[in-house]
């Protein structure tokens, strides 16, 4: 069982920066960030496979967002730069996909979400 706790959501101006954190209670190789805006389906933002040394980003955030992990703290991060109004959403951390390690994989563990508002 893995518990995930996100933090760092805030109100930020367009063009600004923000860093989200996700503290994990147990080890998992594959971790990801998702987001869901009101009236929209949840979408994958970024994913990281530690052992595979692989990261993948949604086209909408490529070049602006960076996913990383501090293994000593067992914490996943999402550095968000040059944010836009369309980045406004609740951001979720996910871990432990049951099949593969892709943004469309089914994930077993989810955090409670943290609100990011760009305005």
């Amino acid at each position: 069982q893995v518990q995930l706790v996100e933090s760092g959501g805030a109100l930020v101006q367009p063009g600004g920066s923000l860093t989200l954190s996700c503290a994990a209670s147990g080890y998992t190789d594959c971790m990801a960030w998702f987001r869901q805006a009101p009236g929209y389906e949840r979408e994958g933002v970024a994913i990281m496979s530690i052992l595979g040394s692989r990261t993948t980003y949604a086209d909408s955030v490529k070049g602006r967002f960076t996913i990383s992990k501090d293994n000593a703290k067992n914490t996943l991060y999402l550095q968000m730069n040059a944010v836009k109004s369309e980045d406004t959403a609740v951001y979720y951390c996910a871990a432990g996909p049951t099949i593969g390690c892709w943004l469309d994989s089914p994930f077993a563990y989810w955090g409670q979400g943290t609100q990011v508002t760009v305005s």
Side-chain angles (χ1 to χ4, degrees):
Q1 189 80 6
V2 176
Q3 292 186 330
L4 305 170
V5 180
E6 303 99 332
S7 62
L11 172 65
V12 59
Q13 293 184 344
S17 297
L18 194 66
T19 300
L20 305 183
S21 301
C22 172
S25 64
Y27 175 80
T28 175
D29 170 58
C30 181
M31 298 184 73
W33 287 99
F34 289 77
R35 67 185 181 186
Q36 186 167 19
Y40 290 85
E41 292 187 354
R42 185 172 59 199
E43 66 168 336
V45 174
I47 192 167
M48 164 175 275
S49 168
I50 309 300
L51 295 177
S53 298
R54 173 175 57 84
T55 58
T56 303
Y57 296 90
D59 288 342
S60 57
V61 306
K62 204 171 293 183
R64 299 188 298 120
F65 291 8
T66 302
I67 188 172
S68 63
K69 187 169 186 253
D70 184 331
N71 289 320
K73 296 181 179 180
N74 208 21
T75 299
L76 185 74
Y77 300 98
L78 184 69
Q79 174 68 42
M80 305 168 61
N81 297 326
V83 295
K84 307 174 182 178
S85 58
E86 50 263 46
D87 295 323
T88 295
V90 177
Y91 283 72
Y92 297 91
C93 175
T98 54
I99 301 174
C101 182
W102 307 102
L103 284 175
D104 59 356
S105 295
F107 281 80
Y109 306 108
W110 293 86
Q112 82 288 349
T114 186
Q115 176 71 48
V116 173
T117 302
V118 183
S119 178

